[in-house]
Amino acid sequence: MVKMLGRSLMNVGLRVKCQQLKGIQRVTAGLNPANYGDTLRREAASTSTVMGVNKMKTMDDLGGPSFMTTLYWLFIKGYFQTTQQMQIEHSKIYGPLWKSKYGPLVVVNVASADLIEQVLRQEGKHPIRTDMPHWRNYRELRNQAHGPLTEMGAKWQRIRSILNPRMLKPKHVSSYANTINEVVTDFICRVNWLRETSGQGVVVNDLTAELYKFAFEGICSVLFETRMGCMSEVIPEKTQKFIVSVGEMFHLSQVVILFPQFLWPYLQSWKRFVAAWDHLFKVAEELVNKKIEEIQENVHLDKDVEGAYLTHLLLSEQMNSTEILGSITELLLAGVDTTSNTISWSLYHLAREPEIQEQLYQEVISVCPGDKVPNSDDIAQMPYLKAIIRETLRLYPVVPGNARVTVENEIVVGNHLFPKKTLFHLCHYAVSYDENIFPNPHTFLPERWLRGGEDKSKQHPFGSVPFGFGIRACLGRRVAELEMYLLLSRLIKHYEVKPDPAGKPVKPITRTLLCPATPINLQFLGRQVKQAEPRAKLAGSP
Ligand code: HEM
């Protein structure tokens, strides 16, 4: 029966090898999460025998470091800032599934694509990442609403059903291209100004800090059709403080969580964490209120009320204003460090690998010759550009370790039965460097993502999932991709990037999100564009 199923699947063109028949059972069962779990359970029971009696392994049978050993790794061996690397080291010691203890909290670490797939396919109807007690505690303290990042259960599902359409549907997302392109144009002008004022020829220092401004400006233009002045020579203080607060909040997040909750009110880091959130909510509130006033004015003047994301949210009246504020704050916050860190790493590698950069340049000018500015349709014809972003996210997944708490059922993962409420840490960073899935894992090889490429056909669908999986996956994925494609294609069209001659290799660190440990400084050499784009004329030759 299974063989017949295998044959028919091959007949309809699915490339499934015969030895993966077990996989077929799971893939087909995976369409129904309940069956998927049952299949794993049967397999686990049939392979685990204790004194001749079938008995499934449990969490107690898992190895892993004690709390003291974990503290030793974090603070004596110095992995606190490089927990992504600790994933790799621990998986070498304990295998792909192990448990770690953080005080009373037990975390099950999962560091293989197969096992991550097993967890995610059993995540249930309302998946939960973690209960994020510190983020939730802030909202209770200030009486603020939860947004998509922090909400749970049916309430989360309701929020996503309201927020999803205009963030994820291709026709809506491509309508943001013009707005984003305006921000890109201003960024190119800013790069030109930075080169001129850096006093170091064509070097732009601390590119990531500049890209934070781009990303904030970009997400604000999508959500509010408002410009925040991030691209001007002097950045408004409030805007600059928002960007700093995002970084501060992510950084303090991983400090606060190490302490028991009753100690938080006495911690300096908790007070700073609260102050950072206060600023994020304050800026978002001002922007939401400004939009409400604009709409009211237009209604008063009997004008048509049209607009982008927030306008639709307000007009649809599906959420009250507190709920809108909770969601908008979380969207703004999620939109800053994510895209900017990714583009920083892409440019860092392109500067070091001129052949890859040249191939990208050729692709961009062949689709958009002369002064043509890429739009969404053009991007669809740039597979190499997309492969570069994909490969960047493999080497530097912004979320290096994701999580799931299984609240609905006990689940089977890797022949072990886990009770409800088990907290799984999905070690995406470690899996991204698995040489069985990605040969030469440390090499920046965009080709591996090209359709028809040898590597692509071998890849495991859960080998690199930078935007997460399933119904809880990244809400901003489509907007983030559009921003990154438009920016990278136009930057490379205008400039040849090269390493700073005085620069050193840059390594990643984890501050909840993966980011560069030291500033990325690059040279931006103007290309000889025959007909420059109007506002980017400033970006001339060096
Ligand atoms: C390179 C860019 C980005 C990457 C790699 C990224 C990655 C992720 C990942 C891994 C998750 C967790 C998904 C899961 O648990 O399965 C996530 C969630 C989320 N992201 Fe992104 N993200 C990016 C950009 C953005 C942007 C620009 C926005 C806002 C417009 C955004 C908004 C969100 C939100 C709201 C969630 C929570 C979704 C939920 O829990 O329902 N992200 N993102």
Side-chain angles (χ1 to χ4, degrees), residues 190-291:
R190 187 169 166 83
V191 167
N192 200 51
W193 175 76
L194 288 165
R195 303 184 318 163
E196 282 168 2
T197 52
S198 76
Q200 293 168 267
V202 288
V203 173
V204 172
N205 290 314
D206 200 355
L207 193 63
T208 315
E210 292 305 322
L211 286 163
Y212 288 155
K213 293 168 197 156
F214 164 79
F216 185 48
E217 193 80 38
I219 192 67
C220 284
S221 69
V222 167
L223 296 178
F224 315 112
E225 300 149 292
T226 300
R227 299 299 295 271
M228 301 299 291
C230 291
M231 301 290 111
S232 52
E233 291 178 12
V234 182
I235 316 286
E237 201 189 322
K238 198 171 46 181
T239 306
Q240 184 62 38
K241 199 171 158 199
F242 185 95
I243 294 169
V244 172
S245 300
V246 173
E248 171 105 333
M249 190 283 292
F250 277 128
H251 166 60
L252 293 169
S253 225
Q254 62 185 51
V255 178
V256 168
I257 200 68
L258 289 176
F259 294 87
Q261 207 158 327
F262 69 88
L263 281 180
W264 292 353
Y266 310 102
L267 298 177
Q268 202 50 36
S269 42
W270 169 253
K271 288 176 189 152
R272 281 170 51 207
F273 178 78
V274 169
W277 272 117
D278 281 346
H279 191 71
L280 300 180
F281 269 92
K282 182 173 162 235
V283 171
E285 188 171 11
E286 282 172 17
L287 288 163
V288 172
N289 286 342
K290 198 169 146 222
K291 186 55 73 189

Side-chain angles (χ1 to χ4, degrees), residues 153 174 498:
S174 54
K498 288 191 172 177

